[in-house]
Amino acid sequence: MKSLRVVVRHYGGPEVLEIVEEDAPQPGSGELRVRTIAAGVSFAELLMREGIHPEKTTLPFTPGWDIVGIVDKAGDGASHAMVGKMVAALPIHGGYAQFICLPEDELTPVPTGVDPAEAVSLVLNYVTAYQMMHRLGHASPGQRVLIHGAAGGVGTALLQLGRLAGLEMYGTASLATHQIVSALGATPIDYERADFVKEIHRLTNDGVDVVFDGVGEANVWRSFRALRPGGRVIAYGFTSFLQKGQLAGGLRYRLRGILRPAWYAVRAFVSPGRRRILPYSIQYLKRWKPAWFREDLGALLELLRDGKIMPMVAERMPLSDARRAQELLGQGGVKGKLVLICNSWPPKKELPSKSRAFET
């Protein structure tokens, strides 16, 4: 049986993504083969394609952090009872493929009736949001939070989870997406026309309890200035690395973008007011506390099944459009999660053209 897979043979822009056809992989001992239905497209994959993500992968490699699919074959020692079941996983690489083999304990069952494109939105974006909010932020009703990129994939996840947690929320976003931010229960702040630090202090008097910062670089210290005493900045991304889909500033810029937030964290530690800057990495926490990842993803899938969260799927695209998907994400302005459909599910005629959430 043949299978399609996206391969990166050398670092660079979206043009380095190649589609190859090969024999479908065979599961090894303790592994299950998954027929991938949906693979998420994330900013982390753009950084890995450029060779600058902290999660290093040897060339050549296949991008793809998060997948949802159907188990279609079991290797020796793996459970044959899993064959035919829908599962979700965070393989970190390898997701842009029609088939992927993974250890059985890497797979989380997906409830019956859940849309695979919405489910895959949970694996990276919503687990990131959930763990930052509850594992690091220790969110409690009434706390104030500021969310950067509030109309994006992780941003909308934070807004939905924050509303469930009873938080008072503020979100930076472009003016065109303020309706989305408001609809999800937050006060929008136009980051292009207003100084968010001044706006936060104008709106709250003394600042917020938590800032979720996926921008990185100098923005981290500005986020720190928006905190009230005892507050925390949770830094989790580097969207400042890309400008209009292109890597900005070369190696020197990249090193500065990684090292400067580390310096800010030290500086925050010795600053008055017991305010802190905390880094978050989903893959490091998953390796340190794998049970947390399974528990948190399982809880999120139940919330999705029960209609308590509604992931925002920006567009569903065929695997062959992986290059265009990464180009769109790099250009910015994507509302929600871009999803690659690697194998049909359900039949094409039944697949909605848009997410049922937040159509604009």
Side-chain angles (χ1 to χ4, degrees):
M1 181 170 54
K2 295 296 184 180
S3 173
L4 297 180
R5 181 168 64 95
V6 175
V7 176
V8 174
R9 301 187 191 280
H10 56 88
Y11 298 126
E15 69 279 356
V16 304
L17 300 179
E18 302 177 28
I19 301 282
V20 299
E21 185 179 46
E22 59 192 5
D23 291 335
Q26 298 301 314
S29 178
E31 290 186 336
L32 295 170
R33 187 173 71 184
V34 178
R35 180 177 178 267
T36 307
I37 305 300
V41 181
S42 70
F43 186 75
E45 289 150 11
L46 275 62
L47 297 182
M48 291 179 76
R49 185 199 70 210
E50 296 277 2
I52 61 173
H53 195 278
E55 183 71 28
K56 293 299 182 183
T57 302
T58 304
L59 290 169
F61 72 93
T62 293
W65 277 60
D66 44 348
I67 63 114
V68 166
I70 305 294
V71 176
D72 83 324
K73 192 171 185 179
D76 292 341
S79 173
H80 288 266
M82 290 293 291
V83 174
K85 296 187 181 298
M86 185 177 289
V87 294
L90 185 81
I92 300 176
H93 59 84
Y96 289 17
Q98 290 186 311
F99 293 89
I100 183 172
C101 297
L102 295 167
E104 184 174 353
D105 62 5
E106 289 286 312
L107 305 179
T108 299
V110 174
T112 302
V114 168
D115 178 357
E118 293 186 351
V120 81
S121 301
L122 306 186
V123 180
L124 178 58
N125 289 355
Y126 277 71
V127 171
T128 292
Y130 188 93
Q131 293 191 330
M132 290 194 300
M133 185 170 289
H134 296 289
R135 300 292 187 182
L136 271 72
H138 303 292
S140 58
Q143 282 189 324
R144 296 180 194 147
V145 301
L146 170 62
I147 298 164
H148 289 301
V154 176
T156 53
L158 284 163
L159 289 174
Q160 291 185 50
L161 294 173
R163 183 162 59 180
L164 289 176
L167 305 182
E168 179 183 329
M169 301 183 294
Y170 302 85
T172 63
S174 64
L175 187 61
T177 60
H178 278 199
Q179 182 181 356
I180 294 172
V181 177
S182 297
L184 290 173
T187 300
I189 297 173
D190 185 351
Y191 69 87
E192 296 175 320
R193 301 181 184 182
D195 182 329
F196 73 80
V197 178
K198 292 180 180 178
E199 276 296 287
I200 284 295
H201 285 286
R202 182 183 70 83
L203 292 166
T204 67
N205 293 322
D206 64 343
V208 297
D209 297 290
V210 184
V211 181
F212 299 101
D213 192 318
V215 179
E217 231 268 330
N219 202 71
V220 172
W221 190 252
R222 295 182 65 213
S223 294
F224 180 78
R225 290 167 49 209
L227 292 175
R228 70 200 306 184
R232 298 168 299 285
V233 175
I234 300 178
Y236 68 96
F238 305 97
T239 58
S240 59
F241 277 178
L242 287 184
Q243 297 178 2
K244 296 182 179 180
Q246 300 296 320
L247 187 63
L251 180 60
R252 182 177 179 180
Y253 180 90
R254 290 174 245 164
L255 289 174
R256 186 180 71 186
I258 294 172
L259 295 176
R260 182 178 281 185
W263 157 242
Y264 290 151
V266 175
R267 186 177 172 187
F269 187 77
V270 298
S271 296
R274 298 175 290 105
R275 295 171 294 172
R276 298 289 182 264
I277 296 174
L278 306 175
Y280 170 81
S281 163
I282 187 172
Q283 70 270 28
Y284 295 149
L285 188 57
K286 177 175 177 281
R287 289 166 182 152
W288 181 43
K289 294 283 189 179
W292 281 6
F293 179 84
R294 292 191 294 270
E295 179 183 337
D296 297 343
L297 178 54
L300 288 164
L301 286 165
E302 290 180 5
L303 289 174
L304 176 61
R305 178 199 60 199
D306 296 341
K308 295 181 179 180
I309 55 175
M310 194 176 293
M312 188 173 171
V313 180
E315 189 172 350
R316 305 163 194 252
M317 309 169 72
L319 180 62
S320 58
D321 278 354
R323 181 181 297 182
R324 185 169 73 89
Q326 289 204 356
E327 287 173 347
L328 287 174
L329 188 61
Q331 290 165 5
V334 174
K335 302 174 185 178
K337 183 80 167 178
L338 287 171
V339 177
L340 297 175
I341 303 299
C342 303
N343 288 287
S344 61
W345 179 273
K348 192 173 183 180
K349 64 180 180 180
E350 298 177 21
L351 190 66
S353 60
K354 292 182 179 180
S355 169
R356 55 188 172 89
F358 315 114
E359 293 188 359
T360 57

